[in-house]
Amino acid sequence: MTKVICYLSNGFPSIEKTLETADLYVEGGCDIIEIDIPTDNPFLDNEFIGGRMRKAFEQNQNYDYYLETIRKIREKHPEQEILIVLYEHSLKDIGVEKFIEFCHQLHTEDIILVGNEDNQIKNELMENGIRVSSYIQYHLPDEEIGMAKNTNGFIYLQAKSVGKVREGCETLRDCIEYLRNEGVNQPIYCGVGISNKEDVAMVSNAGGNGAFIGSAVLKKQNQPNELVHFIQEVKAATIRG
C-alpha cells in the first residue's frame, strides 16, 4: 500500500496550531508527517508553503523552538513516522552534530535536505545513519539518477510532467519502472501537484511507495472534520486495483 505523506508547517500560524494539526493528521490515518524547519529563505518552495515558512521564522528565529515542536509530536505519537524537511543553510545554523543527535533521540532518521551544495555535510549525515532523500524530476535526468544511487534515503520523484519526458517514460508507471531497471532500489515517493484522491490513486497504481500532499491538506487546516475526512479519503485511494 502506498503511504500518504502530509505536509505540516512548523510554527505557522502558531506552534499550538501545528500540534493540533498533527493530532488531526494522525486521526485521519496519515502514514508520514512531513514537517519543516522554518527559514527566512525558502528559495526552492512555492509561494504558499514558502510563505508559511518565512512567516513562522519572522515570529521566532530560534531553531530550538521548532525542534521542540517535533519532539512534542514524537512524544505524543511515538509510533508515527516523521520526515523532517530543512534547508542546508538552516542545518548549518542548527549545527550538523546537534541535528544528528536530535534525529537519533527521536528515532526520526529520514530527512529532505533542500538546497544541498555541500557533499561533506550530506556524507556526514549519511555516515551517521541519517537517511537523506534524493529528488528526481519527471524527465529522469541521468545526473539525478546517478545521485539517487549514491544516497541512502528515499527517492522523491516528481509525479507529473511539466512538458519534458524521457522517451518511453510518458507515464508515472513508466518512470518508476525505468528507475527500477536502472538499479534504483530505495522507496520511491511521488509528489508535486498531488492534491486529491485521484492523484493519490495514480501514484498508487503506478507503483509509487508514497504520495506527498502539501498545499491541498494545509488549506484544510481550519476545518478539522473536513481535514480528517480528506486524509481518510486519499488513504482509501492507496489500495491498488
Side-chain angles (χ1 to χ4, degrees):
M1 185 178 291
T2 302
K3 294 182 177 181
V4 172
I5 307 164
C6 296
Y7 194 98
L8 181 60
S9 296
N10 194 338
F12 183 84
S14 67
I15 290 297
E16 292 73 23
K17 192 66 173 179
T18 298
L19 296 173
E20 174 188 312
T21 305
D23 292 343
L24 295 172
Y25 283 5
V26 174
E27 181 182 345
C30 167
D31 295 294
I32 303 175
I33 295 176
E34 177 192 10
I35 185 167
D36 62 32
I37 301 292
T39 174
D40 61 346
N41 185 24
F43 59 90
L44 287 177
D45 280 280
N46 63 41
E47 184 53 38
F48 181 77
I49 289 179
R52 294 167 72 95
M53 295 177 79
R54 280 193 298 270
K55 289 174 183 175
F57 197 76
E58 287 172 4
Q59 295 172 172
N60 194 319
Q61 292 82 47
N62 186 347
Y63 288 109
D64 289 341
Y65 185 68
Y66 304 109
L67 295 177
E68 183 60 25
T69 304
I70 300 172
R71 187 185 301 278
K72 288 178 179 178
I73 295 172
R74 164 59 70 232
E75 289 174 351
K76 188 169 185 180
H77 304 289
E79 302 303 318
Q80 177 66 45
E81 285 192 61
I82 297 174
L83 163 64
I84 300 174
V85 53
L86 77 166
Y87 278 78
E88 185 177 80
H89 57 260
S90 299
L91 175 58
K92 289 179 178 178
D93 289 341
I94 293 169
V96 178
E97 289 186 13
K98 176 179 177 178
F99 182 73
I100 290 171
E101 182 180 0
F102 172 81
C103 289
H104 287 318
Q105 286 176 351
L106 270 61
H107 304 290
T108 302
E109 280 89 11
D110 288 295
I111 72 167
I112 296 176
L113 184 60
V114 187
N116 177 232
E117 296 181 350
D118 189 337
N119 283 331
Q120 184 175 346
I121 289 178
K122 180 180 177 180
N123 291 337
E124 184 176 353
L125 290 167
M126 293 194 298
E127 288 168 2
N128 283 277
I130 305 302
R131 295 183 290 271
V132 183
S133 69
S134 189
Y135 184 72
I136 299 180
Q137 297 175 79
Y138 192 91
H139 62 284
L140 308 177
D142 290 333
E143 180 181 1
E144 292 179 1
I145 295 174
M147 292 174 63
K149 292 178 181 179
N150 291 314
T151 194
N152 62 346
F154 66 85
I155 305 305
Y156 192 139
L157 175 63
Q158 185 178 10
K160 297 182 179 181
S161 168
V162 291
K164 186 177 181 181
V165 299
R166 179 183 282 269
E167 185 177 355
C169 297
E170 286 75 22
T171 69
L172 183 60
R173 176 180 286 277
D174 293 335
C175 293
I176 292 174
E177 289 181 353
Y178 182 87
L179 291 174
R180 294 305 187 205
N181 290 334
E182 285 293 305
V184 175
N185 299 315
Q186 303 101 307
I188 297 177
Y189 298 160
C190 306
V192 185
I194 303 298
S195 61
N196 53 46
K197 63 182 180 180
E198 289 79 17
D199 289 334
V200 172
M202 174 194 69
V203 172
S204 183
N205 290 327
N209 301 111
F212 285 97
I213 307 174
S215 301
V217 71
L218 289 172
K219 289 177 180 178
K220 300 180 186 299
Q221 192 172 28
N222 292 322
Q223 294 88 40
N225 292 335
E226 186 177 342
L227 173 58
V228 170
H229 175 73
F230 175 75
I231 295 173
Q232 292 171 338
E233 185 178 60
V234 297
K235 177 84 171 172
T238 63
I239 302 174
R240 295 174 188 156

